[in-house]
Amino acid sequence: MQSDVAMTALVTGASSGIGLEFCRQLAAMGINLLMVSNQMQELASARDALAAKYPNQRFWAHFKDLAHPDAADEINYLYNRILKKIKKKPTKKYPTIIYV
């Protein structure tokens, strides 16, 4: 799924289980990741492993408990800042992919 501009996905539960496997599959397709989890050490390890395997991609790790009332707003704000920083906005061509 390589393109001239890589997609960026937001994945929750990214530090283990299905969420981590989803990150691995997306990374293998060339997709940059904002990885969110409430397990700080596991999240950092997962991010570092993916970054080592795919050095030409971007991986951001964000520690957040999604049960917190402001979690969705905070993650949305962070995701949009990342997209702005890399000068892309979610569109049909470069969609937001969310796993919950």
Side-chain angles (χ1 to χ4, degrees):
M1 178 181 276
Q2 293 292 339
S3 67
D4 56 336
V5 180
M7 285 190 262
T8 301
L10 185 161
V11 180
T12 61
S15 61
S16 63
I18 294 170
L20 178 55
E21 183 58 28
F22 196 50
C23 287
R24 290 179 182 135
Q25 296 296 319
L26 292 172
M29 292 188 291
I31 297 173
N32 298 319
L33 299 171
L34 169 55
M35 304 167 67
V36 179
S37 176
N38 64 353
Q39 300 173 358
M40 188 180 301
Q41 290 180 330
E42 292 87 346
L43 179 61
S45 294
R47 183 236 169 259
D48 291 346
L50 288 171
K53 188 170 183 175
Y54 303 101
N56 295 325
Q57 289 170 235
R58 296 177 178 179
F59 300 93
W60 297 271
H62 185 65
F63 171 71
K64 189 66 181 180
D65 183 350
L66 296 179
H68 197 275
D70 71 345
D73 289 337
E74 181 179 328
I75 291 169
N76 183 55
Y77 174 77
L78 177 62
Y79 184 74
N80 284 305
R81 282 195 60 199
I82 287 170
L83 291 178
K84 184 177 180 180
K85 180 178 179 180
I86 59 176
K87 295 181 177 41
K88 284 186 295 197
K89 295 185 176 157
T91 65
K92 288 182 182 177
K93 187 173 179 183
Y94 303 109
T96 302
I97 303 169
I98 301 177
Y99 167 78
V100 180

